[in-house]
């Protein structure tokens, strides 16, 4: 598993913001799978960041979130995306195709629902509508 997979989604998106905002001040390739650099934080602090693609848990950053913990922070993600912009692009593409799939699933669900409703007789429709309206009313009473 890579840095992106291990990181929380929120950290990846924040890292994307930092990458787009050019918060990475310096970047150095220190090995075949490793980079180090300095990333500027939101409060003006500068953080020392090291990432290891082969062993993501060995990555480090001295920000309050990641310091001394084996977690992936937004500064590591920003450094990673800056070092390898293609990874950022692939991540966006993946999110996009996931959203398209989700949309297709939803579309299919509504089509099935419509088919089901059309298959009901008038009596069944009246019963189900009445039940749905009662449930709706009860739910509203519950919230109020
Ligand atoms: Zn950090």
């Amino acid at each position: 598993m890579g840095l992106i997979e291990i990181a929380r989604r929120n950290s990846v998106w924040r890292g994307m913001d930092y990458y787009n905002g050019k918060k990475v001040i310096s970047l150095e390739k220190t090995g075949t799978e490793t980079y180090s650099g300095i990333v500027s934080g939101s409060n003006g602090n500068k953080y020392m960041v090291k990432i290891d693609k082969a062993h993501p848990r060995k990555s480090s950053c001295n920000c309050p979130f990641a310091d001394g913990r084996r977690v992936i922070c937004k500064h590591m993600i920003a450094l990673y995306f800056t070092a390898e912009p293609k990874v950022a692009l692939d991540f966006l593409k993946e999110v996009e195709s996931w959203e398209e799939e989700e949309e297709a699933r939803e579309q299919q669900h509504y089509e099935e629902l419509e088919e089901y409703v059309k298959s009901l007789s008038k009596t069944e429709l009246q019963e189900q509508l009445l039940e749905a309206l009662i449930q709706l009313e009860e739910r509203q009473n519950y919230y109020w």
Side-chain angles (χ1 to χ4, degrees):
M1 290 234 283
L3 277 106
I4 307 294
E5 287 77 24
I6 290 176
R8 293 186 197 168
R9 264 294 147 111
N10 191 37
S11 297
V12 178
W13 285 118
R14 299 292 304 280
M16 183 69 83
D17 285 343
Y18 275 47
Y19 160 64
N20 287 327
K22 308 215 182 309
K23 299 282 192 185
V24 176
I25 296 165
S26 75
L27 168 70
E28 193 186 342
K29 191 165 169 54
T30 51
T32 50
E33 303 286 341
T34 55
Y35 295 97
S36 69
I38 296 168
V39 179
S40 168
S42 51
N43 48 8
N45 288 353
K46 290 177 175 50
Y47 298 116
M48 309 279 292
V49 187
K50 284 182 184 161
I51 58 167
D52 187 330
K53 289 196 290 168
H55 309 282
R57 299 276 180 202
K58 286 186 180 169
S59 303
S60 66
C61 175
N62 62 346
C63 73
F65 176 69
D67 198 16
R69 300 169 65 204
R70 293 162 69 86
V71 295
I72 308 301
C73 69
K74 59 193 175 194
H75 309 107
M76 297 173 192
I77 299 295
L79 192 77
Y80 189 22
F81 285 167
T82 304
E84 301 185 10
K86 195 186 172 302
V87 176
L89 213 61
D90 287 346
F91 172 73
L92 288 176
K93 274 188 205 154
E94 199 181 298
V95 169
E96 204 174 293
S97 73
W98 184 81
E99 279 172 355
E100 275 168 19
E101 276 170 34
E102 189 65 22
E103 218 168 277
R105 261 197 295 275
E106 206 168 87
Q107 179 75 26
Q108 200 192 337
H109 171 69
Y110 286 133
E111 277 167 20
E112 283 168 4
L113 205 59
E114 193 182 345
E115 214 168 285
Y116 168 68
V117 169
K118 281 180 177 166
S119 76
L120 297 173
S121 70
K122 191 181 169 188
T123 314
E124 285 170 328
L125 280 170
Q126 286 175 336
E127 278 170 8
Q128 298 232 10
L129 180 62
L130 185 62
E131 202 173 302
L133 287 174
I134 290 170
Q135 269 182 19
L136 199 66
E137 224 166 69
E138 280 174 353
R139 204 170 304 164
Q140 279 168 348
N141 287 338
Y142 177 75
Y143 282 123
W144 292 337

